[in-house]
């Protein structure tokens, strides 16, 4: 099974029939409304654009033209809503214009609106719609009285042309708009993931190390009170507190490993993944073929991806062996985790695969799952390769020096 994400493409109406169903009546209503809406849009763009262009030699000309283009955006928004309601066209809204940046002058703000491609496409749409609106209105009025037996087929042909115009001129069709929409969606995934991680860390601290340290403080307080009265009991309490300190330190170390393991910072992916593989219930062969270390963020994502996949092998796969391969191909970092378990893993199977796919997608990565029933299971992940900056290498050296000083 290969996991991929595709956009829905199910906005085609049912085939036209001689009977007048609700889809046909919606199409007829849309075609009849073309004339008044096209007339309003044509008058708006011709009058306001002419006035703004004529006054462009004055101080108010360009700001007025910028306001006109903002109004044209509103016309495009209304036309997209009408097409969605009456024609069933699934079309996304273009991204809004960014607000003025701090320190940006008035001219720069006006200029960014004057070169808005979405607004200019709406102007072109409104300008060419008037003759089309006259044609569709005339055909529908005549057809309702003369051509009504074949009117559904005529309406379908005319509305298909309408659908093409809406998609071609009013949709966020350029690559930049699509990329902005993807980044906005990915940003939400990243924010949700970070919030979930913070809640997990807070819960682990509250339920684990914090509760143990509170008990330790209470035990030391009681030992202090008994120090003079019963030295033997106080010594036993101090010994018990010493054991609690060791357990608290172990819990904090495990928690730190879950945030960012020290071995990954010090020695890179090869050693870190070998450490993870040693805790898997099945024997794991780790092969890391990298000439240099990637950026710390990419390295961390790769580590936690493999770690969670190996946890799934331990919990669900019933495998007798597994393998982890990491290599670089061009500007991509590739990970592949294979096991000979029972297979049948799915993105919606409750094994965390969907979350991994979302996290990788949020950083422009790719997640492919191939797990037929009976196995084997192969998971391939791709991440963008980013070169480790000099500052990141310096931070690694500083961390090593601090740890070395603490060990001494």
């Amino acid at each position: 099974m290969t996991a991929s994400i595709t956009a829905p493409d199910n906005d085609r109406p049912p085939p036209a029939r001689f009977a007048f169903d609700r889809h046909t009546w919606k199409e007829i209503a849309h075609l009849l409304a073309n004339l008044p809406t096209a007339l309003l849009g044509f008058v708006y763009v011709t009058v306001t654009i002419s006035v703004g262009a004529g006054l462009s030699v004055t101080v108010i000309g360009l700001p007025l033209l910028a306001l006109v283009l903002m109004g044209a955006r509103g016309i495009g928004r209304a036309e997209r809503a009408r097409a969605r309601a009456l024609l069933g066209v699934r079309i996304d809204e273009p991204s809004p214009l960014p607000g003025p940046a701090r320190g940006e002058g008035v001219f720069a703000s006006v200029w960014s609106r004057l070169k808005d491609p979405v607004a200019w496409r709406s102007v072109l749409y409104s300008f060419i719609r008037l003759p089309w609106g006259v044609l569709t209105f005339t055909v529908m009025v005549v057809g309702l009285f003369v051509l009504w037996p074949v009117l559904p087929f005529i309406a379908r042909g005319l509305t298909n042309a309408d659908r093409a115009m809406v998609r071609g001129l009013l949709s966020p069709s350029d690559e930049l708009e699509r990329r902005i929409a993807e980044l906005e969606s990915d940003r939400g995934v990243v924010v949700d993931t970070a919030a979930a991680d913070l809640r997990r860390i807070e819960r682990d601290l509250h339920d684990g190390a914090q509760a143990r340290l509170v008990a330790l403080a209470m035990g030391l307080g009681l030992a202090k009170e008994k120090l003079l009265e019963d030295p033997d009991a106080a010594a036993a309490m101090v010994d018990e507190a010493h054991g609690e300190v060791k357990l608290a330190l172990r819990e904090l170390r495990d928690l730190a490993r879950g945030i960012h393991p020290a071995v990954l910072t010090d020695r890179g992916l090869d050693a870190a993944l070998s450490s993870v593989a040693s805790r898997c219930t099945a024997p794991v062969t780790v092969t890391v073929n990298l000439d240099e270390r990637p950026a710390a963020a990419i390295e961390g994502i790769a580590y936690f991806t493999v770690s969670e996949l190996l946890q799934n092998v331990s919990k669900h796969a019933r495998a007798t062996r597994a393998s982890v391969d990491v290599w670089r191909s061009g500007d991509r970092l590739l990970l592949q985790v294979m096991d000979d378990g029972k297979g049948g893993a799915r993105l919606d199977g409750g094994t965390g695969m969907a979350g991994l796919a979302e996290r990788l997608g949020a950083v422009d990565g790719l997640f492919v799952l191939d797990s037929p029933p009976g196995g084997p299971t192969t998971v391939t992940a791709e991440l963008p390769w980013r070169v480790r900056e000099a500052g990141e290498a310096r931070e690694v050296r500083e961390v090593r020096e601090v740890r070395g000083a603490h060990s001494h």
Side-chain angles (χ1 to χ4, degrees):
M1 179 178 67
T2 300
S4 60
I5 300 175
T6 56
D9 187 16
N10 193 22
D11 57 351
R12 294 182 180 179
R17 298 180 300 172
F18 285 103
F20 282 44
D21 57 11
R22 64 185 183 90
H23 296 284
T24 300
W25 284 115
K26 283 185 176 182
E27 291 175 342
I28 292 173
H30 179 87
L31 294 170
L32 290 173
N34 272 350
L35 179 59
T37 57
L39 185 60
L40 290 174
F42 182 83
V43 171
Y44 174 82
V45 297
T46 52
V47 172
T48 55
I49 293 291
S50 300
V51 172
L55 294 176
S56 60
V57 295
T58 67
V59 177
I60 65 172
L62 293 180
L64 178 61
L65 193 57
L67 291 176
V68 169
L69 291 175
M70 292 177 65
R73 263 187 170 252
I75 292 176
R77 189 180 306 111
E79 285 297 303
R80 284 189 293 272
R82 187 166 73 98
R84 280 193 293 265
L86 297 178
L87 300 183
V89 177
R90 297 188 181 185
I91 181 170
D92 297 327
E93 291 291 330
S95 58
L97 282 173
R102 179 177 297 181
E104 185 181 53
V106 176
F107 179 77
S109 179
V110 170
W111 180 249
S112 67
R113 283 152 178 76
L114 289 177
K115 61 181 184 179
D116 177 21
V118 175
W120 283 111
R121 290 203 304 268
S122 298
V123 168
L124 177 61
Y125 179 85
S126 300
F127 187 77
I128 66 175
R129 289 286 290 180
L130 183 59
W132 177 253
V134 172
L135 173 65
T136 57
F137 182 84
T138 303
V139 171
M140 284 300 102
V141 170
V142 174
L144 286 171
F145 294 97
V146 180
L147 303 174
W148 60 267
V150 293
L151 190 58
F153 300 94
I154 297 175
R156 178 58 51 81
L158 294 175
T159 52
N160 281 341
D162 263 316
R163 291 182 177 95
M165 278 189 278
V166 170
R167 290 193 181 101
L169 293 176
L170 299 183
S171 65
S173 56
D174 60 290
E175 186 64 27
L176 178 60
E177 288 289 332
R178 284 198 297 269
R179 185 60 178 160
I180 289 174
E182 290 175 2
L183 291 176
E184 288 177 346
S185 175
D186 293 344
R187 181 181 59 185
V189 174
V190 171
V191 170
D192 292 342
T193 301
D197 289 340
L198 286 175
R199 287 194 298 269
R200 176 183 59 80
I201 294 170
E202 181 183 9
R203 183 178 62 251
D204 291 344
L205 283 173
H206 183 272
D207 297 342
Q210 180 180 341
R212 196 173 297 279
L213 290 174
V214 169
L216 172 63
M218 294 176 62
L220 289 175
L222 292 174
K224 182 180 178 181
E225 292 178 358
K226 290 184 174 290
L227 185 60
L228 297 178
E229 299 177 0
D230 191 354
D232 293 336
M237 289 181 179
V238 170
D239 186 60
E240 183 180 352
H242 184 255
E244 290 291 327
V245 169
K246 290 182 177 180
L247 291 175
L249 287 174
R250 185 183 305 165
E251 289 182 358
L252 289 174
R253 192 179 300 114
D254 292 340
L255 181 61
R257 186 185 295 116
I259 298 173
H260 196 84
V263 65
L264 178 62
T265 303
D266 293 341
R267 301 171 57 191
L269 273 175
D270 196 352
L273 295 182
S274 297
S275 176
V276 171
S278 66
R279 299 194 294 268
C280 185
T281 57
V284 181
T285 303
V286 178
T287 304
V288 178
N289 186 13
L290 297 176
D291 296 331
E292 58 179 328
R293 295 178 63 177
I298 300 301
E299 196 175 57
I301 294 172
Y303 170 83
F304 286 110
T305 299
V306 174
S307 177
E308 188 159 345
L309 289 173
L310 289 181
Q311 286 181 22
N312 284 335
V313 172
S314 298
K315 294 178 182 178
H316 308 289
R318 300 178 187 171
T320 59
R321 58 185 176 86
S323 64
V324 176
D325 293 284
V326 181
W327 72 98
R328 179 182 178 182
S329 176
D331 60 348
R332 308 291 284 181
L333 176 65
L334 287 90
L335 321 169
Q336 191 170 76
V337 178
M338 301 178 61
D339 69 77
D340 62 351
K342 63 179 183 178
R346 304 191 313 273
L347 285 178
D348 57 350
T351 57
M353 296 291 188
L356 282 177
E358 289 180 354
R359 293 187 185 189
L360 290 175
V363 294
D364 202 18
L366 182 65
F367 186 88
V368 179
L369 171 65
D370 183 19
S371 182
T377 295
T378 303
V379 177
T380 305
E382 289 187 16
L383 288 166
W385 179 274
R386 283 171 42 202
V387 178
R388 181 175 288 263
E389 301 292 338
E392 293 177 329
R394 185 169 56 253
E395 289 178 2
V396 170
R397 289 195 300 270
E398 291 174 354
V399 169
R400 287 176 178 173
E401 291 173 1
V402 170
R403 287 179 180 150
H406 286 173
S407 64
H408 292 301

